[in-house]
Amino acid sequence: MKNVFLAGFLLVAFTSAAQEITMYKTFGGVRFERDSIVLSTRQVMEILHENPLAFEEFKRAKANSNVASVLGFTGGVLIGLPLGTALIGGEPEWGLAAAGAVFVLGSIPFNRIFKARSLNALDIYNGKEITSKVKPEFYFGGTDARLVIKF
């Protein structure tokens, strides 16, 4: 009985050990994998729930992803309406297309922040050392403006 319990314990211990989650950047998005199985962001959130620090970082990343999705979808619709009108033969409102382009361009920084925060969250979960990146910061004072680069 003792051997069965020990074997079961060892089996659970080795199979449920934290396996690395990797993130691959794709054009316009990311793909998460664990043991060559593709994971959705929801599945990654469930896995990261074990580590509170990684989970909080990934929640912040997901918020940026949601903003980027809404801005990108809205921009796509605003670009598509004038193009559809032009294909039908009507008089398109190119101002809508310009506004849509602004929305799409506005979604790009949020998407980049999502990728960076997701990578940080996965580094925390996987136990890797988080490398500090150069982050320029702008400071505006009463009479001057300066750029400070922090490492």
Side-chain angles (χ1 to χ4, degrees):
M1 183 69 179
K2 233 184 206 183
N3 291 336
V4 172
F5 178 72
L6 182 61
F9 176 74
L10 291 175
L11 179 68
V12 169
F14 286 119
T15 58
S16 67
Q19 300 159 346
E20 280 196 9
I21 300 174
T22 55
M23 180 178 84
Y24 298 102
K25 295 180 182 180
T26 62
F27 182 72
V30 294
R31 187 179 78 213
F32 300 103
E33 285 188 6
R34 182 183 200 182
D35 292 333
S36 69
I37 297 172
V38 178
L39 302 171
S40 68
T41 53
R42 182 174 298 250
Q43 291 171 328
V44 172
M45 283 190 79
E46 289 174 7
I47 294 169
L48 293 182
H49 196 65
E50 301 168 3
N51 186 332
L53 188 59
F55 181 69
E56 286 299 318
E57 183 72 13
F58 197 76
K59 274 183 20 183
R60 290 184 187 130
K62 184 73 171 108
N64 285 307
S65 173
N66 292 341
V67 171
S69 297
V70 168
L71 287 175
F73 178 78
T74 304
V77 168
L78 289 175
I79 291 171
L81 287 174
L83 290 177
T85 305
L87 287 174
I88 294 173
E91 186 64 33
E93 284 287 328
W94 294 114
L96 287 177
V102 169
F103 277 110
V104 169
L105 290 175
S107 72
I108 293 172
F110 288 103
N111 196 17
R112 294 185 75 191
I113 293 170
F114 164 69
K115 290 177 184 179
R117 284 192 177 266
S118 296
L119 191 59
N120 284 345
L122 293 180
D123 285 346
I124 292 169
Y125 176 77
N126 293 332
K128 294 182 180 175
E129 185 175 326
I130 300 174
T131 58
S132 64
K133 297 178 177 123
V134 177
K135 296 181 180 180
E137 295 181 12
F138 294 100
Y139 292 100
F140 295 103
T143 58
D144 64 338
R146 59 187 169 152
L147 171 69
V148 177
I149 299 176
K150 291 189 176 184
F151 293 95

